């Protein structure tokens, strides 16, 4: 778990009437659209590096939900003030962990970099239990 990030129990309502991205590419497009709309509405330029960080975070969260969480069950994106907040829900109650870089025999592991990337690029990460089971991971990435 990211030591400096919080775990809490909270309910994130499912948006039954909106299409949810179930693949990383769809989630990235949703974030790109939300940020572009906000930049247009506020007449501010979009920081390409900050957007790139947000796209990497959402890609890692959705990929982890698919690989380790039984699939994406809900997705939300919101550009709030100087940041973009993405929430990805999945079916697993297991908390994300940072895997050691080597296995017990000292061999380098493949993968295991997604959660540390999310923790490093996000200014806030929260893992919430969902009432019907599963979890929601919410990350806020600065756009400034």
């Amino acid at each position: 778990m990211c030591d400096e990030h919080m775990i809490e129990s909270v309910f994130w309502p499912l948006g039954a009437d909106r299409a949810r991205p179930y693949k990383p590419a769809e989630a990235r497009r949703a974030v790109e659209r939300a940020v572009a709309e906000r930049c247009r509405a506020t007449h501010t330029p979009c920081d390409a590096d900050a957007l790139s960080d947000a796209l990497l975070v959402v890609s890692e969260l959705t990929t982890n939900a698919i690989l380790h969480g039984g699939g994406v069950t809900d997705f939300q994106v919101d550009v709030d003030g100087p940041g973009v907040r993405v929430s990805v829900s999945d079916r697993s109650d297991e908390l994300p962990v940072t895997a050691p870089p080597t296995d017990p025999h000292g061999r380098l592991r493949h993968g295991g970099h997604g959660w540390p990337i999310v923790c490093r690029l996000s200014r806030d990460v929260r893992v919430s239990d969902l009432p019907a089971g599963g979890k929601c991971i919410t990350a806020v990435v600065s756009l400034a």
Side-chain angles (χ1 to χ4, degrees):
M1 212 51 225
C2 303
D3 292 337
E4 69 275 12
H5 302 305
M6 210 174 143
I7 300 173
E8 65 179 20
S9 286
V10 95
F11 174 69
W12 288 89
L14 297 176
D17 61 338
R18 71 177 192 283
R20 292 185 297 265
Y22 290 98
K23 297 178 184 173
E26 295 168 344
R28 286 190 302 270
R29 283 192 295 273
V31 169
E32 285 176 321
R33 278 192 308 272
V35 171
E37 287 172 14
R38 177 60 173 256
C39 290
R40 261 193 309 277
T42 60
H43 305 291
T44 57
C46 291
D47 181 326
D49 291 334
L51 177 59
S52 180
D53 288 349
L55 296 177
L56 182 54
V57 166
V58 76
S59 186
E60 290 298 336
L61 289 176
T62 53
T63 298
N64 286 349
I66 292 165
L67 294 177
H68 309 292
V72 175
T73 58
D74 194 27
F75 175 85
Q76 297 178 19
V77 60
D78 180 42
V79 182
D80 184 30
V84 60
R85 179 177 44 241
V86 294
S87 298
V88 179
S89 299
D90 63 39
R91 292 178 177 85
S92 174
D93 295 324
E94 296 292 317
L95 296 176
V97 295
T98 301
T102 57
D103 69 13
H105 303 288
R107 296 177 295 225
L108 288 176
R109 293 181 193 261
H110 294 281
H113 304 288
W115 185 242
I117 287 170
V118 169
C119 293
R120 178 168 289 173
L121 296 178
S122 303
R123 72 171 190 232
D124 186 38
V125 178
R126 295 174 191 258
V127 180
S128 306
D129 296 325
L130 297 174
K135 67 181 169 300
C136 176
I137 299 178
T138 299
V140 179
V141 180
S142 178
L143 290 175

